[in-house]
Amino acid sequence: MKAFAIFEGGGAKGLAHVGALRACEDYGIDFCGVAGASAGAIVAALVAAGYKSVEMFDPGQPAEADTLFSKDLRTLIQGRITWTEFEAFVADLGQLGNAKWLKAKLGWYWCCKHAHIRTIVDQHKGLFDAQSFAARLDVMLENKLLATYPNLIEERKFGHERAAGQRYRVMFEDIPVPLKIVATNLSDGRLIEFSAAQTREVPVALAVAASIAIPFVFEPVKIAGPNGAGDFVAVDGGVLSNFPAWLFDDERARLGPHIPSLGFRLVVEEAAPERLVEGKLFPYIRRFLKVAINGDPLLETRQIDNMREVPLRVTASTLDFDMSPGKKVALFGEGYLSARTVFGTPGFPVEPERVRRRLEAIVNAVKKSAQVSDGTLVRACVVCPTTRKTTRVTYSFLMDGPLDTDDQLELGATVGASGQALQSGELVRVDMEEAATNYAEVWSMSKYQQALVRKDLKALICMPISTGEGDILGVLSLDSPNEDMLEHFQNPEVDALLWAGGKSIGAILERGAMGNKENA
């Protein structure tokens, strides 16, 4: 199954994305575009270059294997202080916020104890250097691309000795899978998209360095603007968009709704949210910063067709760079099991070709039963609910011609024949010529929705698709511009074929991605 993937930022929690990637590989999900912010940008870049999950982290060899996430992440970054000093600083910062007495004296002590950290932040705006990690990432990307595409030796001089001062070599145009990364441009306060279309002159690893540069923890990254526009300073993409699901809007509009977008989110399980106590400032500040950085994912996904969030429930924290091998295995497992659970839920997107073949079989059976010619056009589709509480065509057969604009038709959950079938749980038959005279009154359709309906249709039949337990997953619809089909759609034998066909499609949708590798 083809899908777009969006990986949420989350610092050290990003290893859970690798576990989710392993689940994608198990169920035959292949990405036709990947995007990410912060830690999600690292995983997205590696996936786009061709890395498999086991090449990023091998849970069977959590410490010995030479993979990126098996390494001690503290050794991959250069710091102006030691990690022990940083941990002490963070611990004291938390203690300052929770102190109940002598706040002024404790604050004075804290400022003196960590005065050198304040000096470093004043001068460099961060304690660690993300570009040292990015230089290693660039070598990894180059090695993978060179192993897959040997012609890059001459075309891009990959594998050659690097020129003096050349730190990065892999550009976005070298990556075979569309890759998009976001960072926050401090120079103008706007989000910047790094991609082959927008930033051809920016190295991939440098864009990743900008995206992972957590403010005050990592130094901001200076990047040359496109077309000589001047340098700008960039930090963590999660500041403005930690879950950039909107990055593939253009590709979705071009390819249609059949390709789902999978959004991998990092969700920390909290025993109990911190209480906001009146008169206590620091709990309020911590809650505010958490909400400001994470935002509301609905704001970034509400207008995206066929979008499915995959929450990865993890127990690690953003700055757990000193995780033990055992904890890394646990975090990998949390991502893997979370993704498997979601992939197996009823209604999760499945490989469109599997449903298309089943729709084709249903159409052929109906035409045979009705004894109509092979040249008679009968279209079929499955209309599914969206995350916006609407419905639209998700799988289809013979709906890809120039007259078939209704695959873009989005209706309210109670609107149109499909909405009536969803609400009633019963078959709905429609004389389309008669319906065209009262789309607004009877079917509650706006003039813009009406404009997308194919004009020559004569007959339509809709039947709800449900799970074995009776939960409705969508609607099976057949329609035709042939006048004779209106009578045939009244035939009880056709009803029986549709109920049987809908049941078989329901079995596919109920299995979710778990059925992608099964013989359809």
Side-chain angles (χ1 to χ4, degrees):
M1 182 179 72
K2 296 290 184 182
F4 296 107
I6 301 93
F7 298 100
E8 185 180 35
K13 300 192 297 287
L15 175 56
H17 286 316
V18 184
L21 180 62
R22 174 66 176 272
C24 292
E25 295 165 353
D26 285 352
Y27 295 126
I29 299 174
D30 187 25
F31 298 129
C32 55
V34 290
S38 193
I42 300 174
V43 176
L46 293 172
V47 170
Y51 277 92
K52 300 298 183 183
S53 62
V54 73
E55 297 174 291
M56 300 183 203
F57 180 75
D58 184 354
Q61 304 180 69
E64 294 78 12
D66 186 23
T67 62
L68 178 64
F69 288 94
S70 66
K71 300 180 183 299
D72 185 334
L73 296 180
R74 296 171 297 179
T75 66
L76 301 181
I77 57 177
Q78 293 179 349
R80 301 182 186 279
I81 63 173
T82 67
W83 192 259
T84 300
E85 289 178 298
F86 177 70
E87 288 182 317
F89 167 71
V90 172
D92 284 354
L93 183 62
Q95 185 180 10
L96 175 63
N98 292 323
K100 296 181 179 179
W101 53 279
L102 295 179
K103 288 186 178 180
K105 290 186 178 180
L106 181 58
W108 173 85
Y109 163 76
W110 183 84
C111 290
C112 291
K113 179 181 179 181
H114 300 292
H116 64 300
I117 290 180
R118 175 178 175 179
T119 301
I120 292 171
V121 173
D122 279 344
Q123 295 178 351
H124 303 282
K125 307 303 182 288
L127 301 172
F128 298 93
D129 179 11
Q131 293 198 51
S132 59
F133 166 77
R136 298 189 184 211
L137 177 63
D138 183 74
V139 174
M140 291 182 63
L141 298 175
E142 179 182 2
N143 291 341
K144 172 56 73 173
L145 291 172
L146 188 58
T148 309
Y149 308 99
N151 58 306
L152 292 175
I153 293 177
E154 297 303 326
E155 291 181 6
R156 301 288 295 168
K157 303 302 180 184
F158 283 7
H160 291 227
E161 184 178 351
R162 299 195 177 209
Q166 183 184 24
R167 198 172 194 182
Y168 305 110
R169 182 173 275 165
V170 179
M171 304 296 177
F172 278 88
E173 61 184 345
D174 300 321
I175 301 293
V177 175
L179 169 66
K180 300 187 179 186
I181 291 170
V182 294
T184 300
N185 185 347
L186 290 184
S187 301
D188 61 8
R190 300 174 67 88
L191 195 72
I192 181 168
E193 172 194 320
F194 295 100
S195 64
Q198 300 291 333
T199 54
R200 295 175 62 87
E201 301 173 3
V202 177
V204 173
L206 189 62
V208 172
S211 192
I212 69 173
I214 301 171
F216 306 113
V217 177
F218 290 99
E219 296 181 25
V221 176
K222 183 178 291 187
I223 297 177
N227 304 317
D231 295 347
F232 62 89
V233 175
V235 296
D236 192 348
V239 172
L240 291 181
S241 182
N242 203 38
F243 188 49
W246 47 269
L247 282 173
F248 289 110
D249 284 351
D250 292 342
E251 289 81 356
R252 277 186 286 263
R254 185 174 68 252
L255 298 175
H258 305 297
I259 298 179
S261 298
L262 306 183
F264 297 93
R265 298 190 54 230
L266 298 168
V267 181
V268 178
E269 296 290 348
E270 295 182 284
E274 186 176 22
R275 294 176 59 243
L276 297 180
V277 182
E278 186 175 353
K280 303 294 183 181
L281 177 61
F282 280 90
Y284 171 80
I285 293 175
R286 283 193 292 268
R287 178 71 64 84
F288 172 78
L289 291 176
K290 181 178 180 180
V291 172
I293 292 176
N294 293 331
D296 185 348
L298 180 61
L299 298 177
E300 300 186 278
T301 62
R302 61 190 296 269
Q303 293 299 323
I304 298 176
D305 293 331
N306 207 359
M307 175 75 199
R308 290 302 178 111
E309 289 187 23
V310 184
L312 308 180
R313 305 191 181 282
V314 300
T315 54
S317 68
T318 300
L319 297 177
D320 273 349
F321 292 151
D322 56 344
M323 279 188 285
S324 67
K327 191 169 183 179
K328 288 183 178 182
V329 172
L331 181 56
F332 175 93
E334 289 169 346
Y336 177 70
L337 292 175
S338 294
R340 278 182 60 105
T341 299
V342 176
F343 292 169
T345 56
F348 189 85
V350 302
E351 183 185 9
E353 181 61 21
R354 296 186 63 213
V355 183
R356 192 204 68 80
R357 290 197 299 266
R358 194 59 54 91
L359 290 173
E360 181 180 10
I362 294 171
V363 166
N364 290 337
V366 168
K367 289 170 68 174
K368 182 178 180 180
S369 173
Q371 296 182 341
V372 298
S373 66
D374 290 340
T376 301
L377 175 62
V378 177
R379 307 184 309 165
C381 68
V382 176
V383 177
C384 294
T386 73
T387 55
R388 297 185 293 277
K389 298 182 180 180
T390 60
T391 63
R392 68 170 304 160
V393 174
T394 306
Y395 309 98
S396 66
F397 171 64
L398 294 181
M399 291 187 69
D400 50 4
L403 299 178
D404 303 305
T405 56
D406 41 2
D407 64 344
Q408 296 292 319
L409 183 60
E410 184 169 358
L411 299 171
T414 62
V415 174
S418 59
Q420 288 192 6
L422 277 174
Q423 294 300 309
S424 68
E426 302 291 339
L427 273 169
V428 175
R429 299 179 180 86
V430 182
D431 179 335
M432 293 300 291
E433 288 188 318
E434 179 182 333
T437 65
N438 53 17
Y439 275 143
E441 293 80 5
V442 176
W443 304 102
S444 305
M445 295 171 62
S446 71
K447 64 178 182 179
Y448 306 105
Q449 293 168 333
Q450 296 172 39
L452 291 174
V453 178
R454 181 165 168 153
K455 300 299 183 285
D456 61 353
L457 292 181
K458 300 293 191 298
L460 168 68
I461 186 168
C462 295
M463 189 207 71
I465 299 171
S466 60
T467 66
E469 297 181 354
D471 296 325
I472 296 180
L473 299 175
V475 173
L476 168 63
S477 294
L478 270 67
D479 60 38
S480 176
N482 188 295
E483 291 183 354
D484 293 339
M485 292 307 299
L486 185 61
E487 180 180 349
H488 293 308
F489 282 170
Q490 305 288 339
N491 190 325
E493 187 174 338
V494 170
D495 287 2
L497 287 171
L498 290 181
W499 281 112
K503 185 176 180 180
S504 68
I505 290 178
I508 294 175
L509 300 183
E510 188 171 10
R511 292 275 290 156
M514 294 178 68
N516 279 345
K517 285 195 171 183
E518 297 175 357
N519 187 344

